[in-house]
Amino acid sequence: MKKRFLTAAAAALCAVSLAACGGSSTATTAAETQTSEAADTTAAEADAAEEETAAEAEETEEGGTLIMATNAEFPPYEYHDSSQTGPDGSDIVGIDAEIAGAIAEKLGKDLVIEDIAFDSLIPELQSGKADFVAAGMTVTEDRLVNVDFSDTYATAVQSIIVTSDSEIAGPDDLAGKKIGVQQGTTGDLYATDDFGDENIDRYPKGVDAVQALVQGKVDAVIIDNEPAKVFVGDNEGLKLLDTAYAEEEYAIAVKKGNTELLEQINTVIQELKDSGEMDSIIGKYITAE
Ligand code: ARG
């Protein structure tokens, strides 16, 4: 029995995948061709719907897309570089993008990278709009309430950037100073706890916080060490303090309870580590001092 109407899901799938829906409706019988144009359309739609059901079932195993959400303002983990082509064909490259590319390849899916605000990443997972988040995201107790994390793939520290002539020499000197952070990051959360909300200036991108420092609007920036190095290298008159502010670990996040994808991601992470591929991805973007 043919389905009469396209399900909403099938229709949505048609909208994104011509190949899946443009397929043959040659199965239309002679009787069906005799009917009115309106009925014809219904038959064609029904055929399409039938194919869609198959395509949908197939999608859970192989084919289809895998949507990664990130905030591509975080070199060397994810950033835009118009001179390169990333794993999803866009200009988003970096360590996380390459790990995601390996995951998609392993699952036989096409990677799509969504670049959104950092503090929208977890809601994007929860609403099911993205399959996973790879964003140099630190595993924290609070985040574990809302998402599941993969095995960790990198360690990081929160670093402090100041101007070259600054008297701030370590975390203790930050009391009462204006601190710039990227909104919603651990740098933001920890600094707010330690130094008070009134001393924190939040910016949509880490680079905006660094710009504020260059312009003298804030006294220091707290941000992950790798992007910190990139930003200090890109701007004159800034330095990175030796004393780190906090240590943490990065992992990939999935929607709570999505154990199937989580296990697949962990398998790929382990394979990348065992084969040495993880080291070469990291080595490509981070030069050892
Ligand atoms: N590690 C920090 C955190 O999890 C900052 C991550 C920022 N990532 C980004 N893609 N902008 O909060």
Side-chain angles (χ1 to χ4, degrees):
M1 203 39 210
K2 285 187 172 178
K3 271 204 241 156
R4 219 150 246 297
F5 302 105
L6 281 170
T7 61
L13 211 66
C14 280
V16 293
S17 169
L18 271 181
C21 301
S24 73
S25 43
T26 47
T28 314
T29 65
E32 275 170 336
T33 22
Q34 305 285 312
T35 56
S36 73
E37 232 178 68
D40 240 357
T41 312
T42 313
E45 275 174 1
D47 277 330
E50 213 168 54
E51 280 179 26
E52 268 330 295
T53 317
E56 271 177 275
E58 206 178 296
E59 200 188 3
T60 55
E61 288 153 29
E62 233 178 65
T65 56
L66 193 64
I67 302 175
M68 152 175 163
T70 195
N71 169 249
E73 301 293 342
F74 198 69
Y77 284 91
E78 46 268 332
Y79 58 103
H80 291 270
D81 180 351
S82 55
S83 72
Q84 295 188 56
T85 304
D88 75 333
S90 75
D91 68 348
I92 298 175
V93 295
I95 295 167
D96 286 330
E98 295 214 15
I99 293 173
I103 293 168
E105 198 184 310
K106 172 80 183 200
L107 302 187
K109 299 194 180 198
D110 289 330
L111 182 69
V112 174
I113 302 182
E114 262 187 13
D115 179 17
I116 60 177
F118 185 78
D119 57 0
S120 300
L121 292 173
I122 288 180
E124 195 78 353
L125 271 189
Q126 291 176 308
S127 69
K129 285 190 211 141
D131 296 305
F132 66 97
V133 166
M137 186 174 268
T138 303
V139 180
T140 70
E141 291 297 318
D142 287 348
R143 288 175 182 162
L144 273 166
V145 174
N146 298 311
V147 296
D148 287 336
F149 278 107
S150 71
D151 296 335
T152 59
Y153 61 89
T155 52
V157 290
Q158 291 297 314
S159 294
I160 302 166
I161 310 176
V162 293
T163 51
S164 306
D165 59 358
S166 174
E167 281 163 14
I168 298 170
D172 294 343
D173 300 332
L174 290 174
K177 299 281 197 273
K178 265 273 174 260
I179 303 167
V181 295
Q182 181 180 20
Q183 164 120 4
T185 59
T186 45
D188 177 5
L189 306 171
Y190 302 157
T192 303
D193 264 2
D194 291 345
F195 305 107
D197 190 51
E198 68 282 7
N199 291 313
I200 311 303
D201 277 1
R202 302 184 177 85
Y203 296 88
K205 306 173 185 178
V207 73
D208 299 339
V210 172
Q211 243 14 77
L213 177 64
V214 170
Q215 293 161 7
K217 292 181 188 157
V218 298
D219 302 306
V221 168
I222 295 181
I223 193 164
D224 304 48
N225 55 320
E226 290 303 337
K229 283 192 230 161
V230 174
F231 297 145
V232 168
D234 287 349
N235 290 278
E236 299 257 309
L238 298 184
K239 66 178 181 192
L240 207 55
L241 297 187
D242 291 335
T243 331
Y245 175 58
E247 289 189 16
E248 41 194 42
E249 290 195 294
Y250 294 165
I252 291 175
V254 299
K255 188 176 186 169
K256 240 192 156 26
N258 191 353
T259 44
E260 189 186 353
L261 181 58
L262 195 65
E263 277 163 23
Q264 290 167 331
I265 289 174
N266 281 336
T267 304
V268 177
I269 289 177
Q270 195 54 50
E271 283 172 4
L272 291 176
K273 285 180 181 170
D274 292 345
S275 66
E277 177 70 9
M278 187 69 93
D279 283 342
S280 43
I281 292 174
I282 294 172
K284 183 172 158 191
Y285 292 94
I286 301 175
T287 36
E289 288 111 273

